[in-house]
Amino acid sequence: MDNVTPLGGDVYEIDTRMAGYSGITAGYLILGDRPCLVETGTSTSAPVVRDALSSLGVGPDDLATVVVTHIHLDHAGGVGDIASYYPSAEIVVHEKGARHLADPSRLMASAKMVWGDKLDVLFGTLAPTDAARIRALGDTGTIDLGNGRTLASHYSPGHAKHHVGLLDSLTGDLYVGDAAGVYLPETGDLRPATPPPDFDLDVALDSIALFTALKPQRLLFSHYGPVADVPTTLERSAEELRLWVDLTKRARAEGLDLDHAVAMVRDRTRERYAALRADAATAEQFELLSGAPSNVAGIMHWLDRAPR
């Protein structure tokens, strides 16, 4: 299938085609004795993911585990649908997100407030998962991939309080979710992901430091794809976070409201990203991946409640 890319080590990248776009959201299938899907994409992506797994020989009773880095709808919105397609799969999530997969009503209500009429088009509806099938991870945990291969889970908040990174014992791949920002492979751009309500700069930087200490061989971004230059990329992740926070602080000190703060930060960071100087479609893709309004709003929210 044209949306499945082999990455070596029995790992396959799946373009989950969020809202019909290519290159926005990636899921990953780790094949082997106990096949594991990392990230489901949105609810509307669930049939795309099912077709991709089928093309790789994974049938309804073959998938052992579904694990999500966190419960935001672009990563976990398809959990309920995927759980129904694969009745034998265990669903794995950090303990701070588990109850929202069993009962998504609060999560969907808050998403509706943020996205309004765009919610159905972008994400669809997260269906509930039987609580008995959900395994809640603590700050560390292990997922059995078979033949001694494991995914080790590492709590990595800052982007979201229910976020984990996942390290593959065989390949050294680290599934970074959104904790290291978003990456655009076409241009090599990296930009932070700092949405409300959970963003916290100090905690986010600690998570990037943890990722560095794990010494992964490769970073697998949910947005989007594999990156081999690990130390440089994680340094850039931290630098981007600090820059966006510094600029937002400056806008706040000048008394700018959110719209004007977004305009200022967008203007002052524009030259950093080749995507914004590329064609309109690439620029639109980049904004969908890491929207300046969401980023600045998340930083403002943190500044409002952080002791200073």
Side-chain angles (χ1 to χ4, degrees), residues 224-248:
Y224 183 93
V227 178
D229 189 353
V230 172
T232 305
T233 303
L234 291 176
E235 281 170 21
R236 267 185 68 200
S237 296
E239 178 189 331
E240 288 284 327
L241 280 171
R242 291 190 184 100
L243 175 73
W244 278 67
V245 167
D246 285 348
L247 288 172
T248 303

Side-chain angles (χ1 to χ4, degrees), residues 225-302:
V227 178
D229 189 353
V230 172
T232 305
T233 303
L234 291 176
E235 281 170 21
R236 267 185 68 200
S237 296
E239 178 189 331
E240 288 284 327
L241 280 171
R242 291 190 184 100
L243 175 73
W244 278 67
V245 167
D246 285 348
L247 288 172
T248 303
K249 273 184 182 170
R250 203 175 307 169
R252 191 167 175 263
E254 291 174 16
L256 300 183
D257 63 18
L258 181 60
D259 287 348
H260 287 90
V262 168
M264 188 197 103
V265 174
R266 201 178 248 149
D267 186 56
R268 304 250 175 116
T269 57
R270 188 179 307 278
E271 289 307 307
R272 296 179 69 80
Y273 310 119
L276 300 182
R277 301 189 296 277
D279 58 277
T282 304
E284 180 187 19
Q285 181 182 4
F286 200 44
E287 275 295 319
L288 256 180
L289 280 167
S290 166
S294 169
N295 279 353
V296 173
I299 296 168
M300 286 280 204
H301 181 72
W302 171 66

Side-chain angles (χ1 to χ4, degrees), residues 59-289:
D61 294 318
D62 299 328
L63 192 65
T65 312
V66 176
V67 56
V68 291
T69 60
H70 60 302
I71 61 166
H72 290 165
L73 294 177
D74 48 339
H75 298 256
V79 164
D81 300 283
I82 294 292
S84 69
Y85 296 158
Y86 300 95
S88 308
E90 182 177 57
I91 312 302
V92 183
V93 62
H94 188 264
E95 59 193 4
K96 286 188 163 72
R99 66 192 174 96
H100 296 289
L101 295 186
D103 177 5
S105 53
R106 279 182 61 190
L107 181 64
M108 289 306 302
S110 105
K112 183 74 175 172
M113 283 174 61
V114 173
W115 295 99
D117 293 341
K118 291 182 183 172
L119 181 67
D120 291 340
V121 175
L122 287 175
F123 304 114
T125 301
L126 171 59
T129 299
D130 179 0
R133 294 181 57 189
I134 297 171
R135 175 153 70 98
L137 296 166
D139 287 357
T140 57
T142 304
I143 294 151
D144 178 15
L145 300 175
N147 282 337
R149 183 178 185 178
T150 60
L151 266 186
S153 166
H154 297 271
Y155 186 45
S156 44
H159 168 80
K161 61 177 183 272
H162 38 74
H163 195 292
V164 297
L166 301 157
L167 186 66
D168 186 328
S169 65
L170 179 70
T171 61
D173 288 332
L174 179 64
Y175 296 85
V176 293
D178 284 349
V182 301
Y183 176 77
L184 193 66
E186 293 92 333
T187 58
D189 286 320
L190 184 70
R191 190 149 90 165
T194 61
D198 292 346
F199 172 69
D200 183 304
L201 176 65
D202 305 312
V203 177
L205 290 173
D206 286 346
S207 292
I208 292 171
L210 168 66
F211 286 175
T212 303
L214 292 172
K215 293 187 165 52
Q217 293 298 303
R218 187 166 59 171
L219 305 174
L220 297 188
F221 282 85
S222 301
H223 319 283
Y224 183 93
V227 178
D229 189 353
V230 172
T232 305
T233 303
L234 291 176
E235 281 170 21
R236 267 185 68 200
S237 296
E239 178 189 331
E240 288 284 327
L241 280 171
R242 291 190 184 100
L243 175 73
W244 278 67
V245 167
D246 285 348
L247 288 172
T248 303
K249 273 184 182 170
R250 203 175 307 169
R252 191 167 175 263
E254 291 174 16
L256 300 183
D257 63 18
L258 181 60
D259 287 348
H260 287 90
V262 168
M264 188 197 103
V265 174
R266 201 178 248 149
D267 186 56
R268 304 250 175 116
T269 57
R270 188 179 307 278
E271 289 307 307
R272 296 179 69 80
Y273 310 119
L276 300 182
R277 301 189 296 277
D279 58 277
T282 304
E284 180 187 19
Q285 181 182 4
F286 200 44
E287 275 295 319
L288 256 180
L289 280 167

